[in-house]
Amino acid sequence: MQLTKEIDHLLSAQQLSHAYLFEGDNMFEMKSTAMYFAEQILCENETSCTTKVRNFNHPDFVYIQSDETTIKKHQIEELLRKMNQKPIESQYKVYIIEAFDKLTVQGENSILKFLEEPPPNTIALLLTTKKDSILPTIHSRCQLVHFKPASKEDYIEELKQSDISSPIAHTLSFITSDKEEALLLTEEQVFTQIRKSVTKLAELMVKDTQMAMIYLIDCTKMIQSRPLQQLFLNCLNAYFQDVLHAKIELDVIKAYPDMESEIIEISKHLSLNDISNYIQVITEANRKLAQNVGIMLVLEQMVVNGKR
């Protein structure tokens, strides 16, 4: 964790702000640092207290997260209820909101009011990988803590050290910068299946549109949830980025290094305009998916428009 020394200095100098906005591209590191900060604020290295924080059962600590696209209203209401109470075991109360950008406008406004008039000894740690999507008024009431991005090479090596194969690690580095999310994806075999299906579909999109349309049936059976559908499109986009780099002979890290010879061959049959169009229709497909258009229709339009 890159900021522990700075945190220790703030604590020793008693220079704590009422709110911190952690911003960066590595949610895993931000979560680890936020938990360390909370432990130091609440526990001062007292073992039993630290254990309670890590197990999320300390009475003066609340951790908010959601696996869905938004953080629910009831989660914020419960948070505000607890934080308006006096500390029970510690001098302070601390709350962490992971992926703060998932708050609805209503939820963000509720937190804004809370930040404008925070109860005494209450500290907020707000975490985001999408700083620009957060209200400027939230920014102005928080102390910004910026996490420097790790190099892609270092990130890939870190994933490989977690027993992830090199090809999978390369693809993941184009899909997510959050190590914890990357590890969760590889725990299920579906990511490997998606990756394999993406490379097959990409080749069919270029060489045989009719067969690509037929193959979509197999693809949609595998990606029935919205997160998997988004993952599929992101992997497909990374593939065509590799095709683009092969076409212009740009020596950069590849998302599909194990497919390099095939990708080079595909790039020889496409113009730069062709490749740009494929990337554009995949981006448009992602946009339509976010608008709740059906996945089969999204993919069919993508395949058809990709050939134009």
Side-chain angles (χ1 to χ4, degrees):
M1 293 181 289
Q2 57 179 259
L3 296 170
T4 52
K5 289 184 179 179
E6 289 85 345
I7 288 172
D8 291 340
H9 175 73
L10 288 173
L11 291 164
S12 63
Q14 292 293 303
Q15 296 176 340
L16 294 175
S17 171
H18 72 284
Y20 296 86
L21 179 62
F22 285 20
E23 181 273 325
D25 63 0
N26 190 332
M27 183 59 75
F28 179 81
E29 183 177 17
M30 288 191 287
K31 288 165 60 176
S32 299
T33 305
M35 287 298 294
Y36 174 81
F37 201 176
E39 290 167 12
Q40 296 305 308
I41 293 170
L42 294 171
C43 302
E44 298 180 352
N45 294 317
E46 202 278 308
T47 304
S48 62
C49 174
T50 300
T51 300
K52 288 182 181 179
V53 173
R54 292 178 182 176
N55 291 331
F56 305 108
N57 61 8
H58 192 291
D60 301 321
F61 176 63
V62 176
Y63 193 104
I64 299 291
Q65 63 178 345
S66 176
D67 293 330
E68 301 181 28
T69 55
T70 60
I71 294 174
K72 301 303 181 184
K73 179 182 176 182
H74 72 85
Q75 292 178 279
I76 299 302
E77 291 176 343
E78 179 65 11
L79 166 69
L80 298 181
R81 184 188 69 79
K82 288 187 176 180
M83 288 297 110
N84 273 308
Q85 298 172 352
K86 292 182 179 180
I88 296 174
E89 294 185 4
S90 302
Q91 180 183 354
Y92 292 94
K93 293 168 292 177
V94 177
Y95 63 96
I96 296 173
I97 302 182
E98 178 188 326
F100 187 75
D101 45 273
K102 285 187 176 182
L103 260 70
T104 61
V105 174
Q106 183 182 12
E108 206 167 354
N109 283 327
S110 296
I111 294 295
L112 175 59
K113 292 178 182 177
F114 196 65
L115 293 175
E116 288 173 340
E117 299 180 11
N121 292 1
T122 300
I123 297 174
L125 305 177
L126 314 177
L127 284 51
T128 183
T129 57
K130 301 175 182 177
K131 182 181 68 171
D132 294 338
S133 67
I134 295 172
L135 290 172
T137 44
I138 296 284
H139 284 270
S140 66
R141 285 163 176 78
C142 297
Q143 182 171 325
L144 178 64
V145 181
H146 178 70
F147 286 71
K148 296 178 181 178
S151 71
K152 196 174 285 289
E153 293 94 334
D154 290 345
Y155 180 53
I156 290 170
E157 285 303 314
E158 194 174 349
L159 292 177
K160 287 164 64 176
Q161 289 173 12
S162 298
D163 294 327
I164 295 175
S165 69
S166 181
I168 297 294
H170 275 76
T171 307
L172 284 168
S173 73
F174 284 78
I175 304 304
T176 177
S177 58
D178 184 348
K179 180 183 175 183
E180 189 172 82
E181 181 182 2
L183 294 174
L184 286 173
L185 287 172
T186 57
E187 283 179 2
E188 303 175 6
Q189 289 300 313
V190 68
F191 181 76
T192 303
Q193 296 168 6
I194 285 175
R195 187 179 186 274
K196 184 177 180 180
S197 297
V198 160
T199 58
K200 182 176 179 179
L201 177 62
E203 184 176 358
L204 291 174
M205 286 172 66
V206 173
K207 296 181 178 180
D208 191 335
T209 302
Q210 186 175 356
M211 286 302 298
M213 295 290 282
I214 295 172
Y215 186 59
L216 290 180
I217 298 173
D218 291 336
C219 294
T220 54
K221 288 179 180 178
M222 179 177 52
I223 52 171
Q224 296 185 4
S225 70
R226 191 68 71 188
L228 289 180
Q229 292 160 8
Q230 292 171 332
L231 178 63
F232 186 90
L233 289 175
N234 290 338
C235 288
L236 189 62
N237 182 71
Y239 184 94
F240 278 100
Q241 292 289 344
D242 274 8
V243 176
L244 174 61
H245 295 151
K247 184 68 179 178
I248 62 178
E249 298 182 352
L250 185 63
D251 186 17
V252 294
I253 293 175
K254 307 295 192 298
Y256 294 85
D258 53 324
M259 302 291 294
E260 186 170 10
S261 60
E262 293 91 336
I263 287 172
I264 290 174
E265 189 62 31
I266 285 176
S267 72
K268 292 177 181 178
H269 296 86
L270 297 172
S271 68
L272 284 175
N273 284 337
D274 291 334
I275 301 169
S276 177
N277 185 58
Y278 278 118
I279 294 172
Q280 184 176 340
V281 297
I282 295 167
T283 302
E284 178 66 12
N286 239 325
R287 186 185 67 80
K288 289 180 179 177
L289 195 63
Q291 296 173 343
N292 291 321
V293 180
I295 183 61
M296 180 57 85
L297 179 59
V298 167
L299 294 180
E300 287 176 344
Q301 290 178 345
M302 178 190 71
V303 170
V304 171
N305 293 334
K307 262 299 185 184
R308 292 178 182 174

